[in-house]
Protein backbone atom coordinates (compact mmCIF):
# COMPACT_ATOMS: atom_id res chain seq x y z
CA UNK A 1 0.00 0.00 0.00
CA UNK A 2 1.35 3.44 -0.92
CA UNK A 3 1.61 6.06 1.81
CA UNK A 4 -0.06 9.24 0.54
CA UNK A 5 2.69 11.38 2.08
CA UNK A 6 5.00 10.08 -0.65
CA UNK A 7 2.55 10.34 -3.52
CA UNK A 8 4.46 11.11 -6.69
CA UNK A 9 3.56 14.36 -8.45
CA UNK A 10 2.28 12.23 -11.34
CA UNK A 11 -0.47 10.73 -9.11
CA UNK A 12 -1.49 14.17 -7.85
CA UNK A 13 -1.70 15.24 -11.49
CA UNK A 14 -4.00 12.30 -12.27
CA UNK A 15 -6.25 13.30 -9.36
CA UNK A 16 -6.31 16.90 -10.59
CA UNK A 17 -7.31 15.69 -14.04
CA UNK A 18 -10.48 14.06 -12.65
CA UNK A 19 -12.36 17.21 -11.59
CA UNK A 20 -9.87 20.04 -11.82
CA UNK A 21 -6.99 21.13 -9.55
CA UNK A 22 -9.26 23.14 -7.21
CA UNK A 23 -10.93 19.85 -6.17
CA UNK A 24 -7.57 18.67 -4.80
CA UNK A 25 -6.86 20.64 -1.62
CA UNK A 26 -3.30 20.51 -0.29
CA UNK A 27 -3.06 23.86 1.53
CA UNK A 28 -2.57 22.86 5.22
CA UNK A 29 -4.62 25.88 6.36
CA UNK A 30 -7.62 24.67 4.38
CA UNK A 31 -7.17 21.11 5.61
CA UNK A 32 -6.77 21.77 9.30
CA UNK A 33 -10.46 21.98 10.26
CA UNK A 34 -11.15 18.59 8.68
CA UNK A 35 -8.39 16.79 10.55
CA UNK A 36 -9.93 17.06 14.04
CA UNK A 37 -13.25 15.47 14.89
CA UNK A 38 -16.19 17.24 16.58
CA UNK A 39 -15.28 15.91 20.04
CA UNK A 40 -11.68 17.15 19.75
CA UNK A 41 -10.40 13.71 20.82
CA UNK A 42 -9.31 12.55 17.38
CA UNK A 43 -6.63 14.57 15.62
CA UNK A 44 -5.41 13.15 12.33
CA UNK A 45 -3.19 14.16 9.46
CA UNK A 46 -3.47 14.07 5.70
CA UNK A 47 -1.52 15.55 2.83
CA UNK A 48 -4.62 16.19 0.78
CA UNK A 49 -8.39 16.47 0.71
CA UNK A 50 -10.38 15.63 -2.40
CA UNK A 51 -13.67 17.50 -2.83
CA UNK A 52 -15.61 15.86 -5.67
CA UNK A 53 -19.07 17.23 -6.57
CA UNK A 54 -20.48 14.41 -8.68
CA UNK A 55 -20.65 10.64 -8.45
CA UNK A 56 -18.51 10.43 -11.59
CA UNK A 57 -15.84 12.57 -9.88
CA UNK A 58 -15.91 10.38 -6.74
CA UNK A 59 -15.52 7.37 -9.05
CA UNK A 60 -12.63 9.05 -10.87
CA UNK A 61 -10.81 9.95 -7.66
CA UNK A 62 -11.28 6.50 -6.11
CA UNK A 63 -10.20 4.86 -9.36
CA UNK A 64 -6.88 6.75 -9.33
CA UNK A 65 -6.31 6.05 -5.62
CA UNK A 66 -7.08 2.37 -6.17
CA UNK A 67 -4.70 2.16 -9.10
CA UNK A 68 -1.88 3.50 -6.94
CA UNK A 69 -2.89 1.61 -3.77
CA UNK A 70 -3.52 4.74 -1.69
CA UNK A 71 -5.59 4.48 1.54
CA UNK A 72 -8.68 6.66 1.83
CA UNK A 73 -10.65 8.34 4.61
CA UNK A 74 -14.26 9.37 3.86
CA UNK A 75 -15.80 12.37 5.58
CA UNK A 76 -19.22 14.00 5.60
CA UNK A 77 -20.08 16.75 8.10
CA UNK A 78 -17.42 15.51 10.57
CA UNK A 79 -19.89 15.39 13.47
CA UNK A 80 -19.30 11.69 14.17
CA UNK A 81 -18.55 10.79 17.77
CA UNK A 82 -16.38 7.66 17.47
CA UNK A 83 -13.22 8.77 15.67
CA UNK A 84 -14.37 7.39 12.34
CA UNK A 85 -14.35 10.60 10.33
CA UNK A 86 -10.75 11.80 10.42
CA UNK A 87 -7.62 10.36 8.73
CA UNK A 88 -5.69 8.81 11.63
CA UNK A 89 -3.07 7.13 9.43
CA UNK A 90 -2.33 9.93 6.97
CA UNK A 91 -4.94 8.68 4.47
CA UNK A 92 -6.15 10.88 1.61
CA UNK A 93 -9.29 12.58 2.86
CA UNK A 94 -12.26 12.30 0.52
CA UNK A 95 -14.93 14.79 1.55
CA UNK A 96 -18.41 13.98 0.30
CA UNK A 97 -19.77 17.34 1.43
CA UNK A 98 -19.83 18.90 -2.04
CA UNK A 99 -21.71 15.96 -3.57
CA UNK A 100 -24.79 17.85 -2.47
CA UNK A 101 -28.31 18.76 -3.51
CA UNK A 102 -31.86 17.48 -3.55
CA UNK A 103 -32.27 15.65 -6.82
CA UNK A 104 -35.91 14.67 -6.83
CA UNK A 105 -38.92 14.75 -4.54
CA UNK A 106 -41.64 12.34 -5.55
CA UNK A 107 -44.61 13.92 -3.83
CA UNK A 108 -46.95 11.18 -4.93
CA UNK A 109 -45.04 8.28 -3.41
CA UNK A 110 -43.37 10.23 -0.60
CA UNK A 111 -39.79 9.61 -1.63
CA UNK A 112 -36.77 11.84 -2.10
CA UNK A 113 -33.50 11.26 -3.95
CA UNK A 114 -30.73 13.29 -2.40
CA UNK A 115 -26.98 13.61 -2.84
CA UNK A 116 -24.89 12.46 0.12
CA UNK A 117 -23.42 15.82 1.13
CA UNK A 118 -26.79 17.51 1.68
CA UNK A 119 -27.31 18.39 5.33
CA UNK A 120 -29.90 16.58 7.38
CA UNK A 121 -31.61 19.94 8.08
CA UNK A 122 -32.03 20.62 4.35
CA UNK A 123 -33.55 17.18 3.83
CA UNK A 124 -35.99 17.80 6.70
CA UNK A 125 -36.97 21.25 5.38
CA UNK A 126 -37.43 20.07 1.80
CA UNK A 127 -39.60 17.19 2.98
CA UNK A 128 -41.84 19.57 4.94
CA UNK A 129 -42.10 22.01 2.02
CA UNK A 130 -43.23 19.08 -0.14
CA UNK A 131 -45.99 18.08 2.26
CA UNK A 132 -44.03 15.21 3.79
CA UNK A 133 -41.72 14.65 6.75
CA UNK A 134 -38.27 13.10 7.15
CA UNK A 135 -38.34 11.63 10.66
CA UNK A 136 -34.66 11.28 11.59
CA UNK A 137 -33.59 14.18 13.78
CA UNK A 138 -30.53 14.91 15.90
CA UNK A 139 -28.74 17.87 17.45
CA UNK A 140 -26.11 18.10 14.68
CA UNK A 141 -28.79 18.43 11.95
CA UNK A 142 -27.32 21.64 10.46
CA UNK A 143 -23.88 20.10 9.86
CA UNK A 144 -24.32 16.34 9.64
CA UNK A 145 -24.75 15.17 6.05
CA UNK A 146 -27.42 12.75 4.97
CA UNK A 147 -24.62 10.50 3.66
CA UNK A 148 -22.97 10.53 7.08
CA UNK A 149 -26.25 9.67 8.78
CA UNK A 150 -26.71 6.75 6.38
CA UNK A 151 -23.07 5.62 6.77
CA UNK A 152 -23.54 5.55 10.56
CA UNK A 153 -27.20 4.43 10.55
CA UNK A 154 -27.85 7.42 12.80
CA UNK A 155 -30.58 7.19 15.41
CA UNK A 156 -31.62 10.41 17.08
CA UNK A 157 -34.71 11.42 18.97
CA UNK A 158 -37.49 9.75 16.95
CA UNK A 159 -36.29 6.14 16.86
CA UNK A 160 -38.98 5.20 19.35
CA UNK A 161 -41.72 5.59 16.76
CA UNK A 162 -40.09 5.90 13.32
CA UNK A 163 -36.97 3.74 13.56
CA UNK A 164 -33.33 4.48 12.78
CA UNK A 165 -31.95 5.77 9.48
CA UNK A 166 -31.89 2.27 7.95
CA UNK A 167 -35.69 2.20 8.17
CA UNK A 168 -35.83 5.29 5.92
CA UNK A 169 -33.34 4.15 3.24
CA UNK A 170 -35.15 2.71 0.22
CA UNK A 171 -32.15 2.78 -2.07
CA UNK A 172 -28.69 4.17 -2.53
CA UNK A 173 -25.77 4.61 -4.86
CA UNK A 174 -22.21 3.93 -3.75
CA UNK A 175 -18.79 4.15 -5.34
CA UNK A 176 -16.75 1.05 -4.59
CA UNK A 177 -13.08 0.84 -3.62
CA UNK A 178 -11.91 0.52 -7.23
CA UNK A 179 -14.11 3.35 -8.52
CA UNK A 180 -16.96 1.21 -9.85
CA UNK A 181 -20.45 2.55 -9.22
CA UNK A 182 -23.14 0.42 -7.56
CA UNK A 183 -26.58 1.92 -8.13
CA UNK A 184 -29.55 0.54 -6.24
CA UNK A 185 -31.99 3.46 -6.30
CA UNK A 186 -35.19 1.93 -7.64
CA UNK A 187 -37.13 2.63 -4.47
CA UNK A 188 -39.99 0.21 -4.89
CA UNK A 189 -41.89 -0.23 -1.65
CA UNK A 190 -41.89 -3.96 -2.29
CA UNK A 191 -38.93 -5.58 -4.04
CA UNK A 192 -37.75 -9.01 -2.94
CA UNK A 193 -35.23 -9.55 -5.70
CA UNK A 194 -32.21 -10.71 -3.75
CA UNK A 195 -29.90 -9.03 -1.26
CA UNK A 196 -30.92 -5.54 -0.12
CA UNK A 197 -27.60 -3.81 -0.74
CA UNK A 198 -28.73 -0.38 0.56
CA UNK A 199 -29.23 -2.01 3.98
CA UNK A 200 -25.69 -3.41 3.86
CA UNK A 201 -24.15 -0.02 3.09
CA UNK A 202 -26.28 1.68 5.74
CA UNK A 203 -24.23 1.58 8.93
CA UNK A 204 -21.07 0.41 7.13
CA UNK A 205 -19.19 3.53 8.34
CA UNK A 206 -17.36 4.11 5.08
CA UNK A 207 -15.67 0.69 5.17
CA UNK A 208 -17.34 -0.64 2.00
CA UNK A 209 -17.47 2.40 -0.29
CA UNK A 210 -18.51 6.03 -0.63
CA UNK A 211 -22.25 6.62 -0.46
CA UNK A 212 -23.09 9.23 -3.09
CA UNK A 213 -26.89 9.28 -3.52
CA UNK A 214 -29.76 8.03 -1.40
CA UNK A 215 -33.46 7.41 -1.98
CA UNK A 216 -35.29 8.19 1.25
CA UNK A 217 -38.72 7.17 2.42
CA UNK A 218 -40.76 10.15 3.67
CA UNK A 219 -43.61 9.99 6.16
CA UNK A 220 -46.88 11.93 6.30
CA UNK A 221 -46.61 15.23 8.17
CA UNK A 222 -48.16 15.82 11.57
CA UNK A 223 -51.11 18.15 12.11
CA UNK A 224 -49.84 19.22 15.51
CA UNK A 225 -46.87 18.82 17.79
CA UNK A 226 -46.45 19.42 21.49
CA UNK A 227 -43.56 19.10 23.90
CA UNK A 228 -43.74 18.56 27.64
CA UNK A 229 -41.01 18.93 30.22
CA UNK A 230 -41.63 16.72 33.25
CA UNK A 231 -39.79 17.08 36.56
CA UNK A 232 -39.41 13.97 38.77
CA UNK A 233 -38.18 13.57 42.32
CA UNK A 234 -36.30 10.37 41.52
CA UNK A 235 -35.10 7.98 38.83
CA UNK A 236 -37.51 5.14 39.55
CA UNK A 237 -40.60 7.31 39.05
CA UNK A 238 -39.16 8.77 35.85
CA UNK A 239 -38.27 5.40 34.34
CA UNK A 240 -41.67 4.02 35.31
CA UNK A 241 -43.19 6.98 33.44
CA UNK A 242 -41.07 6.19 30.35
CA UNK A 243 -42.62 2.71 30.27
CA UNK A 244 -46.13 4.19 30.38
CA UNK A 245 -45.49 7.00 27.88
CA UNK A 246 -44.05 4.55 25.32
CA UNK A 247 -47.48 2.97 24.90
CA UNK A 248 -49.03 6.06 23.35
CA UNK A 249 -48.89 6.35 19.58
CA UNK A 250 -48.63 10.16 19.67
CA UNK A 251 -45.41 10.03 21.69
CA UNK A 252 -42.39 10.16 19.38
CA UNK A 253 -39.55 11.18 21.69
CA UNK A 254 -38.76 10.64 25.37
CA UNK A 255 -35.45 12.15 26.43
CA UNK A 256 -33.90 11.94 29.87
CA UNK A 257 -31.96 14.81 31.46
CA UNK A 258 -30.39 14.72 34.92
CA UNK A 259 -29.97 17.60 37.34
CA UNK A 260 -26.16 17.87 37.14
CA UNK A 261 -26.03 18.14 33.33
CA UNK A 262 -29.03 20.49 33.24
CA UNK A 263 -27.12 22.79 35.56
CA UNK A 264 -24.29 22.94 32.99
CA UNK A 265 -26.83 23.48 30.21
CA UNK A 266 -28.60 26.46 31.79
CA UNK A 267 -25.22 28.01 32.59
CA UNK A 268 -24.05 27.48 29.04
CA UNK A 269 -27.25 28.80 27.44
CA UNK A 270 -27.53 31.64 29.94
CA UNK A 271 -31.22 30.87 30.51
CA UNK A 272 -33.25 29.68 33.45
CA UNK A 273 -34.87 26.26 33.55
CA UNK A 274 -38.50 26.39 32.34
CA UNK A 275 -39.53 24.50 35.51
CA UNK A 276 -40.09 26.23 38.87
CA UNK A 277 -37.08 24.47 40.38
CA UNK A 278 -34.37 21.94 39.55
CA UNK A 279 -35.58 18.32 39.75
CA UNK A 280 -33.28 15.28 40.05
CA UNK A 281 -34.66 13.86 36.79
CA UNK A 282 -36.38 15.64 33.91
CA UNK A 283 -38.05 13.97 30.92
CA UNK A 284 -38.64 15.81 27.67
CA UNK A 285 -41.60 14.24 25.89
CA UNK A 286 -42.58 15.10 22.33
CA UNK A 287 -45.94 14.09 20.91
CA UNK A 288 -47.14 14.59 17.36
CA UNK A 289 -50.16 13.51 15.40
CA UNK A 290 -53.63 14.54 14.34
CA UNK A 291 -55.39 17.64 15.72
CA UNK A 292 -55.86 17.60 19.48
CA UNK A 293 -52.37 16.37 20.31
CA UNK A 294 -51.85 18.95 23.06
CA UNK A 295 -54.86 17.74 25.02
CA UNK A 296 -53.93 14.13 24.43
CA UNK A 297 -50.34 14.75 25.60
CA UNK A 298 -51.64 16.45 28.74
CA UNK A 299 -53.88 13.49 29.58
CA UNK A 300 -51.17 10.94 28.69
CA UNK A 301 -48.78 12.70 31.06
CA UNK A 302 -51.29 12.88 33.90
CA UNK A 303 -52.69 9.36 33.47
CA UNK A 304 -49.51 7.53 32.63
CA UNK A 305 -46.91 9.10 34.88
CA UNK A 306 -46.55 10.86 38.17
CA UNK A 307 -44.39 13.92 37.58
CA UNK A 308 -43.83 16.50 40.30
CA UNK A 309 -44.14 19.31 37.75
CA UNK A 310 -45.16 19.63 34.09
CA UNK A 311 -44.64 22.38 31.51
CA UNK A 312 -46.22 21.97 28.06
CA UNK A 313 -45.49 23.97 24.91
CA UNK A 314 -47.47 23.72 21.70
CA UNK A 315 -46.30 26.77 19.73
CA UNK A 316 -43.11 26.50 17.69
CA UNK A 317 -41.06 28.93 19.78
CA UNK A 318 -42.09 27.28 23.03
CA UNK A 319 -41.28 23.81 21.73
CA UNK A 320 -37.86 24.96 20.55
CA UNK A 321 -37.20 26.60 23.91
CA UNK A 322 -37.81 23.28 25.68
CA UNK A 323 -35.80 21.26 23.13
CA UNK A 324 -32.87 23.72 23.37
CA UNK A 325 -32.12 22.32 26.83
CA UNK A 326 -31.74 18.81 25.46
CA UNK A 327 -29.94 19.84 22.25
CA UNK A 328 -27.28 21.75 24.23
CA UNK A 329 -26.22 18.77 26.38
CA UNK A 330 -23.16 17.71 24.32
CA UNK A 331 -21.91 21.26 23.86
CA UNK A 332 -22.41 22.15 27.54
CA UNK A 333 -20.44 19.09 28.70
CA UNK A 334 -17.66 19.92 26.23
CA UNK A 335 -17.10 23.23 28.06
CA UNK A 336 -15.49 21.10 30.82
CA UNK A 337 -12.88 19.71 28.46
CA UNK A 338 -12.76 16.96 25.86
CA UNK A 339 -15.06 14.20 27.13
CA UNK A 340 -14.77 10.46 26.53
CA UNK A 341 -18.11 9.55 24.97
CA UNK A 342 -19.98 6.34 25.53
CA UNK A 343 -23.21 5.74 23.63
CA UNK A 344 -24.86 2.63 24.99
CA UNK A 345 -28.17 0.82 25.08
CA UNK A 346 -29.37 -1.22 27.99
CA UNK A 347 -32.66 -3.13 28.18
CA UNK A 348 -35.48 -0.81 29.32
CA UNK A 349 -35.89 -2.69 32.58
CA UNK A 350 -32.23 -2.04 33.47
CA UNK A 351 -32.04 1.72 32.77
CA UNK A 352 -32.55 3.00 36.34
CA UNK A 353 -30.19 0.40 37.85
CA UNK A 354 -27.57 1.09 35.18
CA UNK A 355 -27.58 4.84 35.85
CA UNK A 356 -27.10 4.07 39.55
CA UNK A 357 -24.21 1.69 38.78
CA UNK A 358 -22.48 4.23 36.53
CA UNK A 359 -22.72 6.89 39.22
CA UNK A 360 -21.33 4.46 41.77
CA UNK A 361 -18.45 3.52 39.45
CA UNK A 362 -17.62 7.22 39.00
CA UNK A 363 -17.58 7.76 42.76
CA UNK A 364 -15.28 4.74 43.21
CA UNK A 365 -13.04 6.04 40.43
CA UNK A 366 -12.79 9.37 42.24
CA UNK A 367 -10.89 11.24 39.51
CA UNK A 368 -13.47 11.24 36.70
CA UNK A 369 -17.04 12.42 36.44
CA UNK A 370 -19.86 10.73 34.53
CA UNK A 371 -22.47 12.93 32.83
CA UNK A 372 -25.52 10.98 31.69
CA UNK A 373 -28.39 11.86 29.34
CA UNK A 374 -30.05 10.32 26.35
CA UNK A 375 -32.94 8.82 24.49
CA UNK A 376 -34.77 7.17 27.39
CA UNK A 377 -37.56 5.97 25.12
CA UNK A 378 -35.28 3.38 23.55
CA UNK A 379 -32.91 2.68 26.43
CA UNK A 380 -30.09 4.64 24.77
CA UNK A 381 -27.92 6.55 27.23
CA UNK A 382 -25.01 8.84 26.43
CA UNK A 383 -22.41 8.66 29.18
CA UNK A 384 -19.79 11.40 28.89
CA UNK A 385 -16.71 11.11 31.07
CA UNK A 386 -14.56 14.06 32.06
CA UNK A 387 -11.46 14.10 34.20
CA UNK A 388 -7.76 13.37 33.84
CA UNK A 389 -7.80 9.63 32.99
CA UNK A 390 -11.29 8.36 32.19
CA UNK A 391 -10.16 5.25 30.25
CA UNK A 392 -10.41 2.89 33.24
CA UNK A 393 -13.87 4.16 34.16
CA UNK A 394 -14.97 3.86 30.52
CA UNK A 395 -13.92 0.19 30.51
CA UNK A 396 -15.78 -0.49 33.75
CA UNK A 397 -18.94 1.12 32.37
CA UNK A 398 -18.76 -0.82 29.10
CA UNK A 399 -18.41 -4.04 31.12
CA UNK A 400 -21.59 -3.04 32.99
CA UNK A 401 -23.32 -2.57 29.62
CA UNK A 402 -22.26 -5.99 28.36
CA UNK A 403 -23.26 -7.64 31.66
CA UNK A 404 -26.68 -5.97 31.36
CA UNK A 405 -27.16 -7.49 27.88
CA UNK A 406 -26.79 -4.09 26.22
CA UNK A 407 -24.87 -2.65 23.27
CA UNK A 408 -21.61 -0.67 23.42
CA UNK A 409 -22.79 1.41 20.47
CA UNK A 410 -26.43 2.34 20.30
CA UNK A 411 -26.30 4.81 17.43
CA UNK A 412 -22.88 6.44 16.95
CA UNK A 413 -21.23 3.37 15.42
CA UNK A 414 -17.96 1.62 16.21
CA UNK A 415 -15.56 3.97 14.42
CA UNK A 416 -12.03 3.57 15.73
CA UNK A 417 -13.06 4.28 19.31
CA UNK A 418 -15.03 1.10 20.05
CA UNK A 419 -13.16 -1.40 17.85
CA UNK A 420 -11.86 -3.36 20.84
CA UNK A 421 -15.42 -3.78 22.10
CA UNK A 422 -17.06 -5.07 18.94
CA UNK A 423 -16.41 -8.70 19.92
CA UNK A 424 -18.25 -8.16 23.21
CA UNK A 425 -21.50 -7.52 21.34
CA UNK A 426 -21.14 -9.68 18.21
CA UNK A 427 -20.51 -13.42 18.06
CA UNK A 428 -17.61 -15.12 16.21
CA UNK A 429 -19.89 -16.20 13.37
CA UNK A 430 -21.11 -12.65 12.83
CA UNK A 431 -17.57 -11.26 12.94
CA UNK A 432 -16.43 -13.81 10.36
CA UNK A 433 -19.13 -12.65 7.96
CA UNK A 434 -18.23 -8.99 8.66
CA UNK A 435 -14.67 -9.82 7.59
CA UNK A 436 -15.79 -11.74 4.49
CA UNK A 437 -17.97 -8.81 3.36
CA UNK A 438 -15.15 -6.33 3.97
CA UNK A 439 -12.61 -8.47 2.10
CA UNK A 440 -14.98 -8.90 -0.84
CA UNK A 441 -15.66 -5.18 -1.26
CA UNK A 442 -12.35 -3.71 -0.09
CA UNK A 443 -9.81 -6.50 -0.67
CA UNK A 444 -6.76 -4.34 0.06
CA UNK A 445 -8.29 -2.73 3.17
CA UNK A 446 -7.79 0.84 1.95
CA UNK A 447 -11.19 2.32 2.87
CA UNK A 448 -11.34 3.95 6.31
CA UNK A 449 -8.51 1.81 7.74
CA UNK A 450 -8.97 1.12 11.45
CA UNK A 451 -12.70 1.84 11.38
CA UNK A 452 -14.91 -1.07 12.50
CA UNK A 453 -12.00 -3.50 12.02
CA UNK A 454 -8.91 -3.02 14.20
C1 LIG B 1 -24.40 17.81 18.90
C2 LIG B 1 -24.43 16.43 18.30
C3 LIG B 1 -25.54 15.62 18.50
C4 LIG B 1 -25.59 14.34 17.94
N1 LIG B 1 -26.69 13.57 18.15
C5 LIG B 1 -26.77 12.35 17.59
C6 LIG B 1 -27.93 11.53 17.79
O1 LIG B 1 -28.86 11.90 18.49
N2 LIG B 1 -27.96 10.32 17.18
C7 LIG B 1 -26.92 9.87 16.39
O2 LIG B 1 -27.02 8.77 15.84
N3 LIG B 1 -25.81 10.62 16.21
C8 LIG B 1 -25.71 11.83 16.78
N4 LIG B 1 -24.58 12.58 16.60
C9 LIG B 1 -23.43 12.02 15.84
C10 LIG B 1 -23.37 12.41 14.36
O3 LIG B 1 -24.08 13.59 14.10
C11 LIG B 1 -23.89 11.28 13.48
O4 LIG B 1 -23.04 10.17 13.61
C12 LIG B 1 -23.97 11.65 11.99
O5 LIG B 1 -24.64 10.61 11.36
C13 LIG B 1 -22.62 11.86 11.33
O6 LIG B 1 -22.82 12.50 10.07
P1 LIG B 1 -21.63 13.30 9.37
O7 LIG B 1 -22.08 13.75 8.03
O8 LIG B 1 -21.14 14.35 10.28
O9 LIG B 1 -20.55 12.14 9.19
P2 LIG B 1 -19.01 12.16 9.57
O10 LIG B 1 -18.84 12.47 10.99
O11 LIG B 1 -18.25 12.97 8.61
O12 LIG B 1 -18.65 10.61 9.33
C14 LIG B 1 -19.13 9.60 10.14
C15 LIG B 1 -18.72 8.24 9.54
O13 LIG B 1 -19.38 8.02 8.31
C16 LIG B 1 -18.44 7.95 7.22
N5 LIG B 1 -19.05 8.68 6.12
C17 LIG B 1 -19.53 9.96 6.14
N6 LIG B 1 -20.10 10.26 4.96
C18 LIG B 1 -19.96 9.16 4.18
C19 LIG B 1 -20.34 8.84 2.85
N7 LIG B 1 -21.02 9.71 2.08
N8 LIG B 1 -20.03 7.62 2.36
C20 LIG B 1 -19.37 6.71 3.13
N9 LIG B 1 -18.99 6.96 4.39
C21 LIG B 1 -19.28 8.16 4.91
C22 LIG B 1 -17.16 8.54 7.75
O14 LIG B 1 -16.04 7.99 7.12
C23 LIG B 1 -17.23 8.15 9.22
O15 LIG B 1 -16.82 6.82 9.39
C24 LIG B 1 -24.50 13.86 17.16
C25 LIG B 1 -23.39 14.68 16.95
C26 LIG B 1 -23.35 15.95 17.51
C27 LIG B 1 -22.14 16.79 17.24
Amino acid sequence: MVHPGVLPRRVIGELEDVAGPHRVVTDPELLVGSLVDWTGRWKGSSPMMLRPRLTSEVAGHLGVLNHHGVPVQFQGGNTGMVGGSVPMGGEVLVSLRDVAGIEEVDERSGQMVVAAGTTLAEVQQTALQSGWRYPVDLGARDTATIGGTVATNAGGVHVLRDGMTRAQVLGLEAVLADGRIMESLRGLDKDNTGYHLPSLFTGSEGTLGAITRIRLRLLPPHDEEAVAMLGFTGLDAAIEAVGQLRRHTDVQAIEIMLEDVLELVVDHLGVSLPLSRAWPVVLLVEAAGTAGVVDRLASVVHDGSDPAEVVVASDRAGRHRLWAHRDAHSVAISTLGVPTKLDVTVPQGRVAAFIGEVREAAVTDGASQAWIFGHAGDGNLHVNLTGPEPAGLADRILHLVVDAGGSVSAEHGIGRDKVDWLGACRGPGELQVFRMVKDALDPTGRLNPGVLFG
Side-chain angles (χ1 to χ4, degrees):
M1 208 180 288
V2 172
H3 192 279
V6 293
L7 275 188
R9 176 65 226 167
R10 178 173 52 86
V11 178
I12 298 172
E14 285 177 38
L15 289 167
E16 288 175 346
D17 285 347
V18 171
H22 52 294
R23 296 280 139 197
V24 180
V25 180
T26 51
D27 180 345
E29 278 186 29
L30 297 178
L31 273 172
V32 72
S34 305
L35 301 180
V36 184
D37 79 330
W38 189 90
T39 68
R41 277 186 69 214
W42 298 85
K43 299 185 172 84
S45 65
S46 176
M48 146 191 327
M49 172 163 62
L50 302 174
R51 300 208 62 148
R53 290 156 304 178
L54 304 168
T55 301
S56 56
E57 294 176 356
V58 178
H61 284 147
L62 290 189
V64 172
L65 295 170
N66 175 60
H67 184 70
H68 296 285
V70 181
V72 173
Q73 170 67 50
F74 296 121
Q75 189 177 85
N78 198 14
T79 65
M81 295 282 190
V82 286
S85 57
V86 286
M88 296 307 294
E91 298 85 9
V92 164
L93 189 56
V94 178
S95 169
L96 279 309
R97 233 191 271 207
D98 293 345
V99 187
I102 308 280
E103 222 165 87
E104 174 197 330
V105 182
D106 182 340
E107 294 190 13
R108 182 180 294 194
S109 60
Q111 295 184 9
M112 180 192 289
V113 179
V114 58
T118 314
T119 63
L120 173 60
E122 194 182 338
V123 168
Q124 293 170 336
Q125 280 152 19
T126 307
L128 283 177
Q129 284 156 9
S130 312
W132 290 90
R133 172 174 63 93
Y134 183 64
V136 176
D137 191 26
L138 43 89
R141 63 185 76 77
D142 292 317
T143 314
T145 62
I146 196 76
T149 63
V150 172
T152 57
N153 185 28
V157 295
H158 295 150
V159 172
L160 179 63
R161 196 166 73 175
D162 298 322
M164 295 184 68
T165 297
R166 186 176 281 114
Q168 329 306 331
V169 176
L170 288 174
L172 59 71
E173 173 191 80
V175 179
L176 306 181
D178 59 5
R180 275 181 293 176
I181 298 169
M182 190 281 299
E183 192 192 290
S184 181
L185 279 167
R186 281 180 305 282
L188 298 168
D189 282 325
K190 296 179 111 175
D191 181 13
N192 267 349
T193 50
Y195 303 129
H196 193 248
L197 298 175
S199 293
L200 175 66
F201 276 80
T202 305
S204 61
E205 299 189 48
T207 59
L208 303 180
I211 296 164
T212 42
R213 290 195 294 159
I214 304 129
R215 182 180 283 274
L216 296 168
R217 174 181 81 121
L218 305 177
L219 298 181
H222 300 304
D223 293 338
E224 275 180 25
E225 287 180 27
V227 177
M229 196 178 254
L230 281 53
F232 290 87
T233 51
L235 256 180
D236 288 337
I239 299 302
E240 177 61 30
V242 172
Q244 296 299 327
L245 292 163
R246 273 169 58 92
R247 296 163 187 262
H248 292 271
T249 48
D250 283 335
V251 172
Q252 62 172 3
I254 310 173
E255 300 290 303
I256 187 166
M257 305 183 281
L258 303 181
E259 189 175 359
D260 52 0
V261 193
L262 271 172
E263 216 172 283
L264 296 178
V265 167
V266 293
D267 268 7
H268 173 71
L269 293 177
V271 297
S272 48
L273 197 65
L275 299 165
S276 65
R277 51 156 282 198
W279 296 100
V281 187
V282 172
L283 295 182
L284 193 75
V285 182
E286 184 179 73
T290 52
V293 98
V294 184
D295 293 340
R296 291 200 298 279
L297 176 61
S299 66
V300 161
V301 164
H302 287 292
D303 297 349
S305 62
D306 189 20
E309 188 181 356
V310 181
V311 172
V312 180
S314 55
D315 63 302
R316 196 179 166 77
R319 286 186 274 126
H320 283 199
R321 194 165 71 92
L322 296 187
W323 264 113
H325 292 79
R326 170 60 183 84
D327 281 345
H329 268 52
S330 289
V331 179
I333 293 167
S334 295
T335 59
L336 301 175
V338 177
T340 293
K341 288 182 171 287
L342 307 179
D343 155 47
V344 304
T345 320
V346 290
Q348 278 291 341
R350 294 276 297 130
V351 171
F354 176 75
I355 292 175
E357 286 161 10
V358 170
R359 285 175 156 169
E360 231 176 86
V363 170
T364 309
D365 180 85
S368 304
Q369 269 177 297
W371 308 92
I372 306 169
F373 62 98
H375 313 299
D378 36 63
N380 176 189
L381 296 172
H382 298 307
V383 184
N384 285 212
L385 306 177
T386 55
E389 277 297 327
L393 179 57
D395 273 7
R396 269 194 296 286
I397 293 170
L398 291 178
H399 278 297
L400 291 172
V401 171
V402 174
D403 292 347
S407 167
V408 297
S409 176
E411 57 177 11
H412 291 164
I414 292 294
R416 295 184 174 90
D417 200 21
K418 302 291 183 306
V419 162
D420 293 343
W421 284 90
L422 186 58
C425 292
R426 297 301 195 128
E430 286 178 291
L431 293 175
Q432 253 170 30
V433 177
F434 276 24
R435 175 45 75 187
M436 287 156 78
V437 171
K438 172 73 172 169
D439 288 348
L441 288 176
D442 179 20
T444 53
R446 287 180 309 101
L447 304 186
N448 280 11
V451 172
L452 196 52
F453 301 89

